Amino acid sequence: SQQGEEDPQALSIQEGENATMNCSYKTSINNLQWYRQNSGRGLVHLILIRSNEREKHSGRLRVTLDTSKKSSSLLITASRAADTASYFCATVGLKTSYDKVIFGPGTSLSVIP
Amino acid sequence: AAGVIQSPRHLIKEKRETATLKCYPIPRHDTVYWYQQGPGQDPQFLISFYEKMQSDKGSIPDRFSAQQFSDYHSELNMSSLELGDSALYFCASSPTGLAGDTQYFGPGTRLTVL
C-alpha cells in the first residue's frame, strides 16, 4: 500500500464484543481518518483525528493516534452485526492545500450475531 | 444535507471503448478528488482539482483525463478501456482543499469492462 499496514487484515468477533483495528503509516501527517465500507459500496467517513490530538471519541468509536510511532487504532465497543464492513484508515499529509487522502489496505470486520 | 453525487452508478463497457464518469460536489465545495478502488484493494488517488485547475496527480493512466467545470462538477474521461480498469471509482469533495478539511465521498461508480 502507498501508506502502510493495517492490522489485522481480517477480524471475526461475536456481537457485543469489542473490535480493535490498528493502522500504521509512513509519512508525517496533518490528520488521520477512519472510513467504513460495506461490501464494495460507498466510503462512509467515521472520524478524523488531527496530528496534535491523541484520542477522540464518537459514539461507540474510540480512535487513538501515536505520531511518534506513526500508528493509530480504532476501537468499536459493543459491536453489532451491522458493524460488519471493511474499515480503512487514511492519512492526509502536510501540504497546506489540496492534499489527497492516502488509504491503507483495510481491515475486514465480521460481527457474528 | 446534500452529498456528493456521482453518475452513473453502474457502467458496463467493452474493451477499447470510452467511458465518462461525472461527479457533482457538495454545494460550495470547490475541490474535487478522484479515487480508484480495484476489487479487494484500497482506494488509490487518481487526480484532484481546485477552482477548476488540476491541483495534484496520482497514479492516473495516460488514457484517463479529467477536468473540473465552471459549476465545479468534474468528469473523468477514460479511453481505450482495459479489463484492469474494472473498479469502483469514487469522487470526493472538500470545502477548501486545505489539508485539514474532511473529504466527503460520493457513492461511487462501478465500472465493469468486459
Side-chain angles (χ1 to χ4, degrees):
Chain A
S1 165
Q2 288 179 281
Q3 183 237 47
E5 301 296 320
E6 283 196 44
D7 167 42
Q9 290 186 333
L11 179 61
S12 183
I13 59 173
Q14 295 289 127
E15 203 166 29
E17 293 182 335
N18 296 341
T20 300
M21 288 160 267
N22 302 297
C23 158
S24 63
Y25 56 91
K26 295 176 180 174
T27 60
S28 296
I29 61 170
N30 175 289
N31 64 73
L32 184 145
Q33 305 173 39
W34 285 89
Y35 289 83
R36 184 184 73 220
Q37 184 178 39
N38 289 83
S39 189
R41 302 187 68 177
L43 289 159
V44 176
H45 184 264
L46 296 176
I47 197 166
L48 181 154
I49 185 166
R50 301 191 188 279
S51 59
N52 61 354
E53 298 175 309
R54 291 297 165 257
E55 187 171 312
K56 204 160 182 181
H57 297 254
S58 176
R60 294 184 295 112
L61 306 180
R62 173 177 168 255
V63 169
T64 62
L65 179 64
D66 186 336
T67 52
S68 65
K69 295 180 180 177
K70 291 188 168 60
S71 67
S72 173
S73 68
L74 170 67
L75 168 68
I76 304 174
T77 59
S79 63
R80 305 167 182 168
D83 295 329
T84 295
S86 291
Y87 291 82
F88 294 93
C89 78
T91 57
V92 176
L94 291 178
K95 285 168 65 173
T96 54
S97 55
Y98 332 131
D99 216 341
K100 55 192 173 288
V101 174
I102 301 178
F103 287 85
T107 293
S108 177
L109 173 66
S110 295
V111 181
I112 303 165
Chain B
V4 176
I5 297 171
Q6 290 187 246
S7 69
R9 295 291 309 276
H10 300 272
L11 189 59
I12 299 175
K13 291 285 184 178
E14 300 277 341
K15 276 173 56 177
R16 292 180 286 278
E17 286 190 324
T18 62
T20 298
L21 278 54
K22 297 184 179 182
C23 168
Y24 298 86
I26 293 171
R28 291 181 293 282
H29 283 199
D30 54 19
T31 307
V32 168
Y33 306 80
W34 285 97
Y35 295 84
Q36 177 192 56
Q37 185 180 27
Q41 299 184 7
D42 51 295
Q44 298 285 315
F45 170 73
L46 292 178
I47 196 166
S48 62
F49 292 88
Y50 169 69
E51 282 290 343
K52 294 153 278 184
M53 300 287 289
Q54 180 181 308
S55 52
D56 200 356
K57 196 170 181 179
S59 50
I60 183 169
D62 292 340
R63 298 177 290 108
F64 294 5
S65 65
Q67 57 182 326
Q68 186 179 32
F69 294 85
S70 57
D71 64 351
Y72 296 105
H73 94 272
S74 179
E75 295 184 4
L76 177 66
N77 298 295
M78 309 159 71
S79 62
S80 302
L81 287 169
E82 302 174 355
L83 295 178
D85 296 330
S86 294
L88 199 50
Y89 290 83
F90 289 105
C91 168
S93 73
S94 68
T96 66
L98 293 176
D101 268 352
T102 295
Q103 293 183 21
Y104 297 86
F105 281 77
T109 293
R110 182 170 296 282
L111 172 67
T112 302
V113 181
L114 302 176

